[in-house]
Amino acid sequence: MEIFLQQIINGLVQGSVYALVALGYTMVYGILGLINFAHGEVVMVGAMLALSALTAMLGWGVPPLLALLLSVGLAMAGCMALGYSIERIAYRPLRHAPRLAPLITAIGVSIVLQNLAMMIWGRQYHSFPTLFATSSHVIGGAIINDIQIAIVILAVLIMAGLMVVVHRTRLGRAMRAVAENQHSAQLMGVDVNRVISITFMLGSALAAIAGLMVSANYGLAHYYMGFLLGLKAFTAAVLGGIGNLRGAMLGGLLLGLIESLGTGYIGDLTGGFLGSNYQDVFAFFVLIAVLVFRPSGLLGERIAERA
Amino acid sequence: MSIDSTQNHINPVRPDPSTGSGLKADVEGWAGFDKLSPNGIKNSSNSINNCLLEVSDLQVAYGGIQAVKGISLQIAPGELVALIGSNGAGKSTTLKTLAGLLQPVSGEIQYDGNSLKNIAAHQRVSMGIALVPEGRGVFARLTVAENLQMGAYSRNDKSEIASDLVRMYELFPRLAERKDQLAGTLSGGEQQMVAMARALMSRPRLLMLDEPSMGLAPLMVKKIFETISDIAAQGMSILLVEQNAKLALQVAQRGYVMESGAITLSDEAKELLGSEAVQRAYLGG
Ligand SMILES: Nc1ncnc2c1ncn2[C@@H]1O[C@H](COP(=O)(O)OP(=O)(O)OP(=O)(O)O)[C@@H](O)[C@H]1O
Ligand SMILES: [Mg+2]
């Protein structure tokens, strides 16, 4: 029972991060029909920027809380600029090209970013500095620490905020309109390119926060961390129904839980044949299963436009 | 009657509310609608010919295929002009180009005395140009109310927008009942109402309608056309593309006939209605 509860907690924490990253995939897919495979690298850049800024500022004697806030701000701004540039430079010129072209470009952008990060930050792991004395809490035999609590709460707040923006504001309406029909949106006076840029920047801001969360949770950041994380978050987006915001959140949390429970019990399930180092296979089982049995994902149903 | 597309000297006709439509409007709550004044400048500084829109020698191509081969047309303020022609004549292409969705190969579009060259589609909306596209293009996953709010996207006069919204619901009571419903779940006729109301929400000075009667039952067609002639009677300029040539020419003051990318006839709508060539080709008589 303790294991079960512990895995649920771990799953929720990890799932919150997946959800934030999955939102970036799904927003871009919803609006452009493009899978932005470079999104995982934006998460990595966010983590690296935040970590570098944090380490530097702590070295200068900036108070921890202030340093944290400034680093988050810097990472978000940096990632927004990066997301904007990726769209502007790599995707916009291919807007009307066959679908394969931007997909390959996305993989190319991803490799470029990884290599750039490697040149800047090196191949080594960077450890996340200790900012505050964090304590752990025991609930029903399972342990959760302050950082994990903060991750879940922050993720929930951010997602609620995003839903408000998308469903209750003029910008959000324009985003949904562009996602559905770019020509009609133009006929309403919407500057489609601007809305697309804003979408990339929003997704990238979420990615920056997610990057910081992951590195805070594991205490580490690394130039290669975006790859697997990005792939899993993409899986989460597909699981929920790519293009659907609620789907991305649901998919993220579910994937976090599946992965965590699977890892917790894989030893028992296979009679000790497979161990918890097989953690990463679950996401891809899920991906394959969804693609085979329900390609539109859990919430990926659409209302057709009537003739 | 002229057969030449280069002819063009129209007398801007003042809109006459009773323009031979024979479809006297009895739309509920209609009275409030005359408060809808156009977007932008009230006192238009329009050019020499007193035209709101003047298109000259417009050519549009899809890749190598010429769809519009050098057409010229004018619309005076407050005029309702019909553009008719058979399938593939280039009518929709013309409207899309005027709205800025397509770039012309050559030719000039003057709107309110200014060239529209290099003015993007979304910027034309705030200048007062609105297009209800073929197939309506409503946002299926937005509610009816959200669709109408999208129509007012280019405006920022909040309280005016709110009162226009009320007027739209008076104009189309059916939409008021369904305002929180997703537009994709509406019937075709209701979607046409959304598309029209949405375009009106931008307070256009030039409203372009691409086949508003397509796929609608006769009663709904009647209703939509009543609305069109009422809007025209309030002084809005309208360019109406229709397959239903008879109906279009009945409500319009003037008409252009388009065939394979060129304008082959243009005249007073009454004359076109009576013309033998038009009768044979488009009116099935
Ligand atoms: N996207 C496109 N690509 C290539 N050719 C096109 C495209 N759209 C239209 N055309 C061609 O341009 C010509 C004019 O088309 P357009 O849609 O303007 O005709 P239309 O007068 O609106 O016809 P209809 O009454 O059937 O709507 C046609 O020959 C059509 O095949
Ligand atoms: Mg057409």
Side-chain angles (χ1 to χ4, degrees):
Chain A
M1 191 58 207
E2 281 102 66
I3 293 182
F4 181 74
L5 195 59
Q6 186 65 58
Q7 296 310 90
I8 294 276
I9 289 172
N10 294 348
L12 284 178
V13 173
Q14 191 60 30
S16 303
V17 174
Y18 289 156
L20 287 183
V21 182
L23 281 168
Y25 278 101
T26 232
M27 283 197 286
V28 165
Y29 184 87
I31 216 156
L32 280 182
L34 163 78
I35 294 165
N36 175 18
F37 272 123
H39 190 60
E41 310 311 327
V42 179
V43 178
M44 174 272 293
V45 169
M48 289 305 210
L49 279 177
L51 231 164
S52 302
L54 206 49
T55 313
M57 278 190 264
L58 290 177
W60 302 330
V62 179
L65 183 62
L66 182 64
L68 181 63
L69 291 177
L70 288 175
S71 320
V72 173
L74 183 95
M76 284 171 73
C79 286
M80 284 165 88
L82 180 62
Y84 174 85
S85 312
I86 292 173
E87 189 273 330
R88 198 70 188 76
I89 297 166
Y91 300 145
R92 194 174 297 182
L94 298 173
R95 191 81 60 80
H96 302 288
R99 283 188 154 215
L100 204 52
L103 196 66
I104 293 168
T105 305
I107 295 169
V109 170
S110 179
I111 293 170
V112 167
L113 289 177
Q114 258 176 39
N115 282 281
L116 280 177
M118 193 182 76
M119 284 156 66
I120 296 171
W121 287 290
R123 291 169 170 278
Q124 72 275 26
Y125 285 87
H126 295 258
S127 59
F128 197 87
T130 315
L131 293 171
F132 317 104
T134 56
S135 48
S136 297
H137 312 271
V138 181
I139 313 167
I143 299 168
I144 184 165
N145 66 32
D146 290 340
I147 294 177
Q148 292 174 315
I149 293 173
I151 288 176
V152 174
I153 291 175
L154 195 60
V156 168
L157 289 178
I158 290 171
M159 289 190 268
L162 183 72
M163 292 311 271
V164 169
V165 169
V166 170
H167 289 283
R168 294 272 175 273
T169 68
R170 180 170 174 272
L171 171 67
R173 240 183 349 254
M175 286 171 66
R176 287 181 289 140
V178 170
E180 194 171 326
N181 187 334
Q182 290 194 10
H183 275 176
S184 283
Q186 275 176 286
L187 292 176
M188 302 297 111
V190 178
D191 183 345
V192 168
N193 282 332
R194 189 168 156 266
V195 170
I196 289 172
S197 291
I198 291 175
T199 305
F200 270 85
M201 293 190 332
L202 259 179
S204 302
L206 298 189
I209 295 172
L212 186 72
M213 286 175 170
V214 182
S215 52
N217 192 25
Y218 290 110
L220 291 171
H222 182 242
Y223 82 98
Y224 202 65
M225 68 187 271
F227 175 73
L228 200 57
L229 182 63
L231 220 49
K232 287 183 182 175
F234 167 68
T235 302
V238 173
L239 172 61
I242 192 148
N244 183 310
L245 295 185
R246 289 188 184 83
M249 301 179 207
L250 179 68
L253 285 179
L254 275 181
L255 188 69
L257 289 172
I258 291 170
E259 215 178 60
S260 150
L261 289 172
T263 311
Y265 291 103
I266 189 170
D268 297 345
L269 289 174
T270 59
F273 182 65
L274 296 176
S276 57
N277 50 340
Y278 279 84
Q279 174 186 356
D280 294 335
V281 302
F282 292 103
F284 303 107
F285 274 138
V286 169
L287 181 61
I288 293 166
V290 172
L291 290 178
V292 170
F293 296 109
R294 199 176 163 88
S296 62
L298 295 173
L299 303 182
E301 275 154 329
R302 295 205 164 156
I303 296 149
E305 192 175 348
R306 293 239 204 123
Chain B
M1 158 164 314
S2 56
I3 312 273
D4 181 359
S5 64
T6 59
Q7 77 76 44
N8 275 317
H9 264 284
I10 52 153
N11 311 323
V13 196
R14 268 313 301 159
D16 171 4
S18 62
T19 308
S21 70
L23 303 165
K24 203 53 206 129
D26 57 353
V27 190
E28 309 94 297
W30 175 242
F33 186 68
D34 55 6
K35 289 180 201 125
L36 256 194
S37 61
N39 206 341
I41 323 101
K42 272 183 205 104
N43 204 348
S44 60
S45 56
N46 49 55
S47 63
I48 327 103
N49 294 347
N50 193 25
C51 279
L52 180 62
L53 181 79
E54 178 159 26
V55 176
S56 16
D57 209 24
L58 188 71
Q59 298 194 26
V60 192
Y62 295 101
I65 305 155
Q66 281 258 321
V68 173
K69 304 167 183 165
I71 63 163
S72 299
L73 57 86
Q74 290 94 8
I75 298 171
E79 219 184 2
L80 201 177
V81 174
L83 177 60
I84 60 174
S86 49
N87 292 124
K91 307 179 296 294
S92 298
T93 304
T94 303
L95 293 196
K96 284 181 195 160
T97 309
L98 295 179
L101 294 179
L102 294 173
Q103 293 310 309
V105 175
S106 66
E108 180 59 24
I109 306 169
Q110 292 268 330
Y111 172 78
D112 197 24
N114 302 309
S115 169
L116 289 186
K117 206 181 177 78
N118 300 325
I119 296 189
H122 68 91
Q123 294 167 316
R124 296 184 193 195
V125 180
S126 47
M127 296 172 74
I129 300 178
L131 168 64
V132 177
E134 198 170 21
R136 305 168 193 117
V138 302
F139 301 112
R141 281 176 280 153
L142 268 58
T143 64
V144 169
E146 287 175 329
N147 267 274
L148 298 196
Q149 283 166 330
M150 280 308 298
Y153 186 84
S154 61
R155 298 168 54 184
N156 36 32
D157 44 343
K158 260 195 168 161
S159 62
E160 294 279 294
I161 292 173
S163 56
D164 281 358
L165 210 55
V166 172
R167 269 175 221 133
M168 287 307 142
Y169 290 135
E170 285 168 2
L171 184 56
F172 300 106
R174 192 82 77 92
L175 298 185
E177 295 161 23
R178 290 167 167 68
K179 63 177 179 230
D180 296 321
Q181 200 171 317
L182 293 185
T185 65
L186 298 180
S187 79
E190 290 161 349
Q191 288 190 11
Q192 185 65 52
M193 292 180 196
V194 171
M196 294 238 323
R198 190 178 66 171
L200 290 172
M201 283 301 291
S202 71
R203 290 202 171 182
R205 301 169 65 197
L206 173 64
L207 176 64
M208 301 188 285
L209 301 164
D210 199 345
E211 307 210 15
S213 76
M214 189 162 61
L216 302 188
L219 211 64
M220 195 62 94
V221 173
K222 184 165 177 276
K223 159 95 180 173
I224 293 282
F225 270 75
E226 281 169 5
T227 311
I228 292 170
S229 41
D230 283 353
I231 295 164
Q234 310 294 344
M236 197 178 286
S237 305
I238 298 179
L239 179 54
L240 171 64
V241 163
E242 254 302 331
Q243 283 293 329
N244 192 334
K246 188 172 174 194
L247 211 45
L249 292 172
Q250 278 174 347
V251 295
Q253 281 129 33
R254 288 189 309 111
Y256 292 92
V257 177
M258 202 167 176
E259 271 169 51
S260 30
I263 287 177
T264 52
L265 285 172
S266 83
D267 209 329
E268 299 285 311
K270 285 192 195 76
E271 300 295 323
L272 288 177
L273 261 178
S275 118
E276 214 173 285
V278 173
Q279 289 266 342
R280 242 197 339 269
Y282 305 106
L283 304 177

